[in-house]
């Protein structure tokens, strides 16, 4: 693992929503070690700064896709990149989704907002390994229909046997789907708590409430993995910005078992 | 998960049967109105299939959908408390199959069989609490961008 950014070239840009883009990047020379779903890279917009971004797709080993939402100077600069532009990447960092732990069980993916991005490789992985996992449920919450990520891909997932449910907070004209928070989908999906491994990514408050709702329906805490977001800077567990109690999330996360974080998430000062 | 409507899940069979003696199967076609805001809440439904949109009338605009309900969920709790008026409106988003329960008779049954009444009211209270909590979460505007975090 290198702590010096390696040069990558943007090879494709997809505008996902009004403020989100997916950047496909390819190494200019030496490539970073292979990423796995849930791990992240520190992505450097030259002259502006760097931010931690999870992989939303891994293509041919070394071509990576990062889905970025423009919320600040660095992410704004990344969202303005075009094919051919250069970025710096270091990583892979953190611990990804433990998909081995989910083998043989049903998989329930719960995503809020841009939290769907780090879960997309999980969905693809499960769909690409039929027989290795049980049923796949994907529950997605978005602010509005226009904020829904990977809209064109969801139908592919459905056709490939995933049960995909989407709900939005604010429906617009023409929206005929569900309205409400993502937890409301838990009672409608035909999932089996005793046979399921659940993976959640989204805003921390959404994770907390979704986790509680899953446990209340009988999912054991050790079958629940969550991807936590804190202010990551160094990516190597040295700066301490991403500390959550005894965990440094850039090193010990972002994916952590809920049995380890349940009590930590209930502490207001952490 | 049993597949039973959430209101009836884990309810003893005797009590479930007693409640179901009051139920009628009722279907609604896409776009039909189940009730309007302010109307008399004289019944409620357990949804068997399909989706129902709950909306609020906003003058000068079309009704704003605030939540949708689907299979296994209970449609309507305004029938429990006076003045028995709907707080929201409800429209079928597609074909909807339900069990329909008459409110006054269910309330009478709850008075006559207080054990069943207690169970039913506990479940309705939990439903109301869930919807209150969901509404509060939505007020937080959960998915708004915030902070420098991995996406």
């Amino acid at each position: 693992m290198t702590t010096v950014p390696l040069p990558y070239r943007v090879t494709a840009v997809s505008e996902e929503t009004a403020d989100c883009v997916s950047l496909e990047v390819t190494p200019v020379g030496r490539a970073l070690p292979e990423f796995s779903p849930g791990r992240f890279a520190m992505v450097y917009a030259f002259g502006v700064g760097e931010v931690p971004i999870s992989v939303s797709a891994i293509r041919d080993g070394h071509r990576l896709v990062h889905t970025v939402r423009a919320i600040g100077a660095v992410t704004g600069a990344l969202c303005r990149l075009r094919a051919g532009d250069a970025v710096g990447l270091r990583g892979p960092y953190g611990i990804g989704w433990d998909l081995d732990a989910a083998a043989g069980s049903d998989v329930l993916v719960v995503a809020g907002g841009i939290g769907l991005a780090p879960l997309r490789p999980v969905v693809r992985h499960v769909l690409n390994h039929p027989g290795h996992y049980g049923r796949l449920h994907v529950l997605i919450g978005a602010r509005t229909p226009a904020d829904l990520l990977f809209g064109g891909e969801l139908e592919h997932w459905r056709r490939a046997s995933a049960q995909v449910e989407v709900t939005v907070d604010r429906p617009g004209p023409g929206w005929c789907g569900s309205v409400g928070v993502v937890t409301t989908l838990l009672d409608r999906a035909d999932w089996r708590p005793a046979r399921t491994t659940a993976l959640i990514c989204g805003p921390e408050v959404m994770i907390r409430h979704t986790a509680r709702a899953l446990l209340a329906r009988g999912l054991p805490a050790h079958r629940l993995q969550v991807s936590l977001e804190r202010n990551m800077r160094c990516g190597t567990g040295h700066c301490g910005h991403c500390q959550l109690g005894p965990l440094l999330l850039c090193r010990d996360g972002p994916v952590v078992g809920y049995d380890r974080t349940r009590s930590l998430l209930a502490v207001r000062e952490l | 998960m049993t597949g039973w409507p959430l209101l009836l899940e884990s309810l003893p069979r005797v009590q479930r049967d007693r409640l179901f003696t009051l139920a009628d199967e009722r279907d609604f076609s896409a776009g039909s109105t189940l009730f309007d805001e302010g109307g008399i809440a004289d019944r409620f439904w357990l949804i068997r299939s399909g989706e129902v949109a709950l909306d609020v009338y906003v003058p000068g605009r079309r009704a704003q959908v605030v939540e949708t309900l689907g299979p296994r969920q209970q449609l309507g709790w305004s029938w429990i408390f006076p003045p028995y008026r709907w707080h929201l409106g409800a429209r079928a988003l597609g074909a909807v199959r339900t069990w329909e329960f008459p409110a006054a008779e269910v309330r009478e049954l709850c008075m006559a069989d207080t054990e069943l009444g207690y169970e039913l009211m506990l479940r309705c209270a939990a439903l109301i609490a869930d919807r209150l909590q969901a509404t509060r979460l939505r007020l937080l505007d959960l998915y708004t961008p915030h902070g420098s975090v991995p996406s």
Side-chain angles (χ1 to χ4, degrees):
Chain A
M1 182 172 66
T2 174
T3 54
V4 177
L6 295 183
Y8 273 65
R9 186 78 61 197
V10 176
T11 43
V13 178
S14 307
E15 289 189 12
E16 303 288 355
T17 68
D19 61 355
C20 278
V21 299
S22 287
L23 301 172
E24 183 195 76
V25 295
T26 306
V28 174
R30 187 158 66 94
L32 293 173
E34 200 161 328
F35 282 67
S36 61
R39 301 191 75 189
F40 67 94
M42 296 301 296
V43 182
Y44 181 35
F46 287 112
V48 186
E50 64 176 3
V51 285
I53 308 282
S54 302
V55 284
S56 61
I58 305 159
R59 295 175 179 156
D60 307 330
H62 297 303
R63 272 192 305 146
L64 304 170
V65 179
H66 293 287
T67 301
V68 187
R69 177 185 256 174
I71 56 173
V74 182
T75 51
L78 291 173
C79 286
R80 288 191 294 274
L81 293 175
R82 293 290 168 258
D85 289 343
V87 290
L89 251 71
R90 56 189 178 99
Y93 290 123
I95 295 169
W97 304 103
D98 185 355
L99 295 175
D100 289 338
S105 69
D106 295 349
V107 178
L108 173 65
V109 166
V110 188
I114 200 164
L116 183 58
L119 285 164
R120 179 164 75 158
V122 171
V123 174
R124 290 178 167 186
H125 176 88
V126 172
L127 292 175
N128 288 336
H129 293 80
H132 202 62
Y133 303 92
R135 299 181 194 166
L136 172 63
H137 293 274
V138 184
L139 310 182
I140 302 166
R143 198 178 184 204
T144 70
D147 290 315
L148 185 60
L149 288 178
F150 316 128
E153 197 169 324
L154 304 186
E155 199 48 46
H156 293 293
W157 295 353
R158 288 191 182 100
R159 280 202 293 269
S161 81
Q163 294 185 40
V164 182
E165 304 288 342
V166 178
T167 187
V168 299
D169 276 352
R170 299 183 197 168
W175 175 255
C176 298
S178 294
V179 178
V181 288
V182 73
T183 48
T184 61
L185 297 176
L186 291 175
D187 290 327
R188 300 194 218 170
D190 180 26
W191 64 286
R192 303 174 289 187
R195 302 185 196 179
T196 295
T197 298
L199 316 174
I200 313 176
C201 187
E204 192 173 305
V205 63
M206 168 263 178
I207 290 176
R208 220 166 57 227
H209 284 274
T210 306
R212 278 185 205 153
L214 289 169
L215 267 50
R217 285 158 180 78
L219 185 88
H222 70 275
R223 304 295 294 270
L224 175 54
Q225 301 173 34
V226 299
S227 181
L228 295 174
E229 301 179 337
R230 293 277 157 143
N231 192 357
M232 295 175 187
R233 293 286 171 85
C234 71
T236 57
H238 283 89
C239 76
H241 278 94
C242 61
Q243 185 173 5
L244 177 70
L247 305 175
L248 290 167
L249 288 174
C250 72
R251 183 193 66 194
D252 305 318
V255 178
V256 192
Y258 189 64
D259 48 354
R260 286 183 73 197
T261 54
R262 185 180 190 172
S263 57
L264 300 175
L265 291 177
V267 181
R268 286 170 183 266
E269 292 78 17
L270 286 180
Chain B
M1 309 257 256
T2 60
W4 280 103
L6 297 169
L7 183 73
L8 308 178
E9 202 172 37
S10 75
L11 197 68
R13 186 176 172 176
V14 175
Q15 294 186 335
R16 201 163 56 215
D17 290 347
R18 201 168 295 153
L19 192 61
F20 261 109
T21 59
L22 302 176
D24 283 321
E25 290 186 15
R26 183 156 179 207
D27 299 343
F28 297 89
S29 57
S32 58
T33 296
L34 283 81
F35 53 82
D36 279 314
E37 188 180 332
I40 297 171
D42 57 355
R43 66 200 70 195
F44 70 96
W45 299 265
L46 300 181
I47 301 172
R48 302 170 68 190
S49 64
E51 300 265 339
V52 176
L54 298 176
D55 59 28
V56 177
Y57 171 67
V58 183
R61 295 164 61 183
R62 66 190 191 92
Q64 300 294 296
V65 176
V66 293
E67 189 162 4
T68 53
L69 301 176
R72 302 179 71 232
Q73 292 188 294
Q74 177 180 338
L75 172 60
W77 54 263
S78 305
W79 58 276
I80 300 172
F81 308 109
Y84 310 124
R85 297 279 176 175
W86 297 117
H87 293 83
L88 303 168
R91 336 266 156 217
L93 283 173
V96 174
R97 300 180 65 214
T98 70
W99 284 298
E100 183 178 275
F101 294 80
E105 291 173 43
V106 172
R107 286 196 302 265
E108 280 172 22
L109 177 63
C110 291
M111 291 289 282
D113 182 344
T114 51
E115 195 177 329
L116 169 61
Y118 179 69
E119 278 298 321
L120 212 54
M121 288 306 138
L122 273 184
R123 287 150 199 258
C124 286
L127 165 89
I128 297 167
D130 277 350
R131 297 221 180 131
L132 172 65
Q133 184 65 5
T135 304
R136 284 173 169 165
L137 283 176
R138 288 176 65 194
L139 287 173
L140 293 176
D141 206 1
L142 278 187
Y143 310 121
T144 308
H146 63 281
S148 169
V149 293
S151 60

